[in-house]
Amino acid sequence: EQAISLVGKDIYEILIKGYTEKQWGRKATEVPAFIIKRLPVRFTFDNNYFNDRYQGIPIGGYNKLIEGLLEGTEVRTGIDFFSDRPYFELLADTLVYTGKIDEFYRYQFGKLAYRSLRFEEEILDCPNYQGNAVVNYTDAEVPFTRIIEHKHFEFGIQSKTVITREYSTEWKENDEPYYPINDHGNNDVYRQYKELADKEENIIFGGRLAEYKYYDMHQIIEEVLKRF
Ligand SMILES: Cc1cc2nc3c(=O)[nH]c(=O)nc-3n(C[C@H](O)[C@H](O)[C@H](O)COP(=O)(O)OP(=O)(O)OC[C@H]3O[C@@H](n4cnc5c(N)ncnc54)[C@H](O)[C@@H]3O)c2cc1C
């Protein structure tokens, strides 16, 4: 109802219904209405998805940006915080925690649910596959939600091209938890963890897993700057 009142039946059926059901793995009628409210709707010929005046990614990609920020800092990757929690908790006066909040509190109020993704990559022997970095497939018959053609993020002119098909999947233990599922049940569980987190004095809980919240890059960067 929320979607139909926003865009009408035709656009709902062509663009929203199948895509939403693929993305969330449930019937569109079972997805909370606020998710649809997030859809940018406007009456113009601008075919960008977002309304933002400036859109882009850092030149050279995010790795380059992050490497620059971290220069001179000791960094250890591939280490699970929970592999030696007491050690990491005592390492500094303040801890910034960006992992799953339910895991941090040993799942005492129950587990939060997530959506996950499966990526299927292919190198194609042609310079250009789809002419755009992202093409979404909105119908329910196509099993993937979108194809990314990476070179177009940086206007690449290589003779070959790498594409990735993205499949939305139910999250299971040991999968990467990509998206929080902010329905009422999960939000209620999260609120209980947040109450504990708010009482911590030397721990900053930040990001999509620790705050159980969907962030875009510009939003998480803004949030980090604010907290800093
Ligand atoms: C498929 C996909 C596509 C996206 N596309 C866009 C887009 O086009 N535009 C856009 O603006 N945003 C996009 N986003 C969102 C963007 O990726 C997020 O906004 C951003 O990464 C959030 O930053 P974060 O710091 O909250 O979380 P993350 O980047 O996930 O950082 C959390 C960090 O904590 C680490 N961590 C977690 N648990 C542990 C642990 N137990 N021990 C040690 N380390 C741990 C993780 O390894 C990770 O490095 C996309 C997200 C996904 C999943």
Side-chain angles (χ1 to χ4, degrees):
E1 283 166 4
Q2 176 69 55
I4 291 170
S5 77
L6 205 62
V7 295
K9 198 161 176 286
D10 289 353
I11 291 180
Y12 170 68
E13 274 166 10
I14 293 168
L15 283 179
I16 297 179
K17 184 173 184 288
Y19 192 76
T20 302
E21 294 185 341
K22 269 199 293 203
Q23 182 82 337
W24 294 100
R26 57 204 73 197
K27 285 168 67 183
T29 47
E30 288 164 21
V31 174
F34 78 86
I35 287 183
I36 298 297
K37 274 193 204 150
R38 233 168 30 196
L39 270 187
V41 174
R42 62 187 166 246
F43 299 97
T44 100
F45 291 101
D46 173 5
N47 65 0
N48 276 299
Y49 179 72
F50 292 105
N51 286 318
D52 306 81
R53 185 184 327 185
Y54 301 109
Q55 298 185 43
I57 55 171
I59 295 170
Y62 280 101
N63 279 4
K64 198 170 163 218
L65 179 113
I66 303 284
E67 276 163 17
L69 287 171
L70 292 177
E71 211 175 280
T73 308
E74 185 193 346
V75 178
R76 297 181 225 167
T77 56
I79 300 173
D80 184 356
F81 171 79
F82 297 103
S83 67
D84 196 355
R85 178 172 182 158
Y87 167 76
F88 290 115
E89 283 185 328
L90 292 175
L91 199 58
D93 295 337
T94 302
L95 171 75
V96 177
Y97 178 77
T98 59
K100 288 162 57 197
I101 192 164
D102 53 350
E103 190 172 13
F104 189 90
Y105 287 114
R106 300 183 171 84
Y107 305 109
Q108 57 183 281
F109 303 123
K111 292 191 173 183
L112 292 165
Y114 302 87
R115 290 295 289 171
S116 196
L117 294 169
R118 180 166 63 81
F119 299 107
E120 213 176 74
E121 259 169 38
E122 206 180 328
I123 301 175
L124 303 177
D125 212 1
C126 63
N128 179 22
Y129 175 70
Q130 62 186 16
N132 209 319
V134 186
V135 174
N136 287 50
Y137 290 77
T138 58
D139 50 329
E141 287 71 44
V142 178
F144 43 85
T145 51
R146 58 183 183 178
I147 296 181
I148 311 289
E149 188 173 10
H150 303 267
K151 71 191 307 177
H152 295 305
F153 284 113
E154 290 246 319
F155 310 106
I157 48 166
Q158 301 85 347
S159 58
K160 296 186 182 187
T161 192
V162 181
I163 62 164
T164 302
R165 292 185 192 86
E166 214 173 284
Y167 297 81
S168 179
T169 62
E170 201 70 43
W171 177 80
K172 314 181 290 310
E173 211 67 46
N174 299 325
D175 287 349
E176 180 81 26
Y178 283 104
Y179 302 110
I181 303 180
N182 290 106
D183 57 17
H184 294 301
N186 284 301
N187 285 348
D188 287 345
V189 173
Y190 168 68
R191 257 191 296 278
Q192 301 181 67
Y193 288 119
K194 184 164 185 321
E195 268 175 37
L196 295 185
D198 286 343
K199 290 189 196 126
E200 305 278 0
E201 297 199 334
N202 303 318
I203 307 173
I204 297 170
F205 290 84
R208 64 187 176 95
L209 301 175
E211 295 176 82
Y212 199 62
K213 176 178 175 185
Y214 182 80
Y215 277 114
D216 273 326
M217 288 302 284
H218 63 296
Q219 293 164 331
I220 192 67
I221 290 168
E222 183 183 7
E223 196 56 35
V224 169
L225 291 173
K226 269 202 268 178
R227 303 265 189 113
F228 179 75

